Amino acid sequence: MPEPAAGIGAPATLSGRCALVTGASRGIGRAIATRLAAHGAAVVLSSSPRSQDALQAARDDIRARGGRAECLVAELGDDEARRALVAQAAELAGGIDVLVNNAAAIPAFEPASAMTLATRRRLFAINLDAPIDLVQQSLPAMRAKGWGRILNISSDTVRQPEVPYAGPAAMVHALSVYGASKAALERVTTGLAAELHGSGVLVNALAPQRIARTERAERVAREVGRTRPEWVEPVETMAEAAYQLVAGTFTGLVTGSRDLMYRLQLPLHALDGRTVIGDCMTPGVA
């Protein structure tokens, strides 16, 4: 059986590496965990209690593919619940070398002018505080090994809309606070990358461009794809780009999935890391 495709500046295998992927019960998180496992990483998938059945199904699917996978339930919006997550994941997997902060709270379509303080606090707790907490928990072991990868999953909603906005008003208005939380995460990403430069711990942020075709976004992706197909990408694109950042040597990079693949001039693989299903030779849309 051929080896999975190698990352830039890295061998094809992640054998001996252990990864924690949050928000991994479905969609982008599940795809990234599946791709990392295909390259030999032992993965721990985490999600909220509400997604426990889907989380176990994701774990079982990776195992059926021949990968190593465990799962942990944790409510990342709760300080106490996430305090021991990295230690628990390390115990299951044998350590944590890779942290993928993918879990996110996405509010209902509610504009900033009407969003309650409780909603805002939960949104920032999951989208910003939780990634920082998990990074702080992961860093001692990564620094001791002199090797670590931190990947923060961002969003195209960090983009500044034109005013007046000509697109769907509900989306741009409702996602402004969500986009602000992801913009803050991007700034933390570059700050961490600078702080950890030379330590062997690399930190990057990655966002889909613009809609990843996941189970949750399938209806929106289908509707948008009818008129703007360039705005929709298969979930494998995020998995491919995430793998390249985990296995590669970039740090301090804040990028979109297709922009990264265009930069690397690499084909797009299925989640098995072997089968070529397309190309990423077109940069992300403006």
Side-chain angles (χ1 to χ4, degrees):
M1 182 179 292
E3 286 292 321
I8 294 297
T13 182
L14 289 173
S15 180
R17 303 298 185 188
C18 304
L20 170 60
V21 183
T22 66
S25 62
R26 54 176 61 88
I28 290 171
R30 178 173 177 170
I32 291 174
T34 303
R35 182 65 190 269
L36 297 183
H39 292 270
V43 296
V44 178
L45 298 82
S46 173
S47 75
S48 72
R50 295 179 300 279
S51 302
Q52 185 168 358
D53 290 345
L55 182 68
Q56 292 172 345
R59 175 202 61 193
D60 294 346
D61 177 64
I62 291 174
R63 289 177 175 177
R65 294 168 179 262
R68 298 169 57 201
E70 303 289 346
C71 59
L72 281 172
V73 171
E75 178 52 70
L76 292 184
D78 182 273
D79 295 352
E80 292 298 323
R82 67 177 182 258
R83 185 163 293 164
L85 181 58
V86 169
Q88 292 170 344
E91 185 175 352
L92 283 175
I96 293 299
D97 307 292
V98 177
L99 172 63
V100 180
N101 284 310
N102 170 70
I106 302 176
F109 286 109
E110 187 177 16
S113 60
M115 190 175 291
T116 66
L117 178 59
T119 298
R120 283 180 275 130
R121 281 178 171 166
R122 174 173 169 75
L123 191 150
F124 275 86
I126 295 175
N127 296 359
L128 183 63
D129 293 336
I132 295 173
D133 282 350
L134 298 185
V135 166
Q136 290 177 350
Q137 294 173 30
S138 303
L139 276 179
M142 290 180 178
R143 280 173 158 152
K145 291 180 181 179
W147 198 98
R149 299 293 186 270
I150 297 167
L151 179 60
N152 295 321
I153 302 303
S154 186
S155 167
D156 192 64
T157 60
V158 302
R159 294 159 53 92
Q160 303 294 333
E162 295 181 358
V163 179
Y165 184 66
M171 181 170 290
V172 73
H173 296 164
L175 294 180
S176 60
V177 180
Y178 173 77
S181 72
K182 288 297 188 176
L185 182 62
E186 289 187 354
R187 180 61 184 87
V188 168
T189 297
T190 54
L192 282 168
E195 176 186 346
L196 297 168
H197 192 265
S199 69
V201 182
L202 311 184
V203 191
N204 297 288
L206 177 68
Q209 297 172 274
R210 300 182 176 174
I211 302 169
R213 190 180 286 276
T214 63
E215 303 97 314
R216 185 174 185 175
E218 177 59 33
R219 182 183 62 82
V220 174
R222 187 169 58 251
E223 291 176 0
V224 171
R226 291 192 185 104
T227 56
R228 299 298 297 266
E230 73 277 11
W231 283 19
V232 180
E233 65 183 44
V235 73
E236 288 86 355
T237 309
M238 278 294 289
E240 180 80 59
Y243 166 66
Q244 296 299 333
L245 291 175
V246 167
T249 56
F250 291 112
T251 193
L253 194 62
V254 175
T255 186
S257 50
R258 278 177 280 175
D259 285 347
L260 178 66
M261 297 310 300
Y262 180 75
R263 176 176 181 172
L264 299 179
Q265 293 288 292
L266 291 176
L268 176 63
H269 293 86
L271 297 182
D272 62 9
R274 300 180 180 89
T275 308
V276 175
I277 60 174
D279 67 66
C280 289
M281 302 310 181
T282 304
V285 294

